[in-house]
Amino acid sequence: MNTSKNSPTDLTSTIHLSQLRPVPGSAHLDAVLEKLSPEEIEIVSQLSPERAMLIGVSGPSKGFRFLLKAEVARIGREVGCDISLDDVTVSRKHAELSVKNGEFILQDSKSLNGTYVNAISVDSISLKHGDQIQIGKFRFIFFTGKANS
């Protein structure tokens, strides 16, 4: 039996607790709405059911608003993307947000750092009003007009 301290079977892992964050719950949406400006609350309340909006809530995108008007919005670092996020934590072609049968679908484009919804890594997901999206160091809240109908 090998009892050496440097045995090749010894494994060590490190968890950085400072980088963990809670999964948003229903109280999260209330907290987010409280932080919106009166103008943003008015805009969100007037979204029609077939429209949606991303509002940046932290990181370099804080205060950023993007109204989803097209059937597909490409998100990435590339200048030609509909939502261009200029940071190395974002892949050139990171994700797509599309409307299919009245649902808003976020799909990761095999990005290096992944796409997260409510702190969970996703390949493809149907978004709901109040979902938190993280792409690189950019965080957005997804709002849909369906919540107004």
Side-chain angles (χ1 to χ4, degrees), residues 72-85:
V72 176
R74 289 170 183 77
I75 304 168
R77 196 175 72 233
E78 208 169 66
V79 177
C81 287
D82 302 300
I83 302 175
S84 183
L85 305 175

Side-chain angles (χ1 to χ4, degrees), residues 57-77:
V57 292
S58 68
S61 64
K62 189 171 183 174
F64 170 86
R65 291 180 283 191
F66 184 80
L67 179 63
L68 302 167
K69 299 184 236 177
E71 286 189 26
V72 176
R74 289 170 183 77
I75 304 168
R77 196 175 72 233

Side-chain angles (χ1 to χ4, degrees), residues 115-136:
T115 300
Y116 295 81
V117 175
N118 299 329
I120 298 170
S121 178
V122 298
D123 290 326
S124 181
I125 190 168
S126 178
L127 294 172
K128 298 178 300 303
H129 186 76
D131 280 345
Q132 184 181 97
I133 300 167
Q134 181 174 349
I135 294 176

Side-chain angles (χ1 to χ4, degrees), residues 5-147:
K5 282 190 167 188
N6 295 326
S7 168
T9 59
D10 289 343
L11 296 175
T12 304
S13 61
T14 304
I15 298 173
H16 297 281
L17 297 176
S18 64
Q19 294 181 3
L20 295 177
R21 60 189 183 283
V23 174
S26 59
H28 163 75
L29 183 56
D30 294 335
V32 167
L33 290 172
E34 288 175 7
K35 293 179 183 178
L36 294 180
S37 71
E39 178 186 11
E40 290 169 331
I41 292 170
E42 181 68 20
I43 290 169
V44 168
S45 71
Q46 292 184 15
L47 286 174
S48 63
E50 64 277 351
R51 294 278 186 247
M53 177 177 279
L54 295 177
I55 297 180
V57 292
S58 68
S61 64
K62 189 171 183 174
F64 170 86
R65 291 180 283 191
F66 184 80
L67 179 63
L68 302 167
K69 299 184 236 177
E71 286 189 26
V72 176
R74 289 170 183 77
I75 304 168
R77 196 175 72 233
E78 208 169 66
V79 177
C81 287
D82 302 300
I83 302 175
S84 183
L85 305 175
D86 188 20
D87 189 79
V88 295
T89 61
V90 178
S91 295
R92 286 184 180 92
K93 295 177 183 173
H94 199 101
E96 281 189 359
L97 186 53
S98 60
V99 182
K100 294 179 184 170
N101 300 322
E103 287 188 73
F104 293 90
I105 309 294
L106 179 64
Q107 184 165 357
D108 185 77
S109 299
K110 298 182 181 170
S111 64
L112 183 62
N113 290 326
T115 300
Y116 295 81
V117 175
N118 299 329
I120 298 170
S121 178
V122 298
D123 290 326
S124 181
I125 190 168
S126 178
L127 294 172
K128 298 178 300 303
H129 186 76
D131 280 345
Q132 184 181 97
I133 300 167
Q134 181 174 349
I135 294 176
K137 63 183 180 181
F138 296 85
R139 286 195 191 159
F140 303 94
I141 300 296
F142 174 80
F143 294 98
T144 178
K146 287 183 181 184

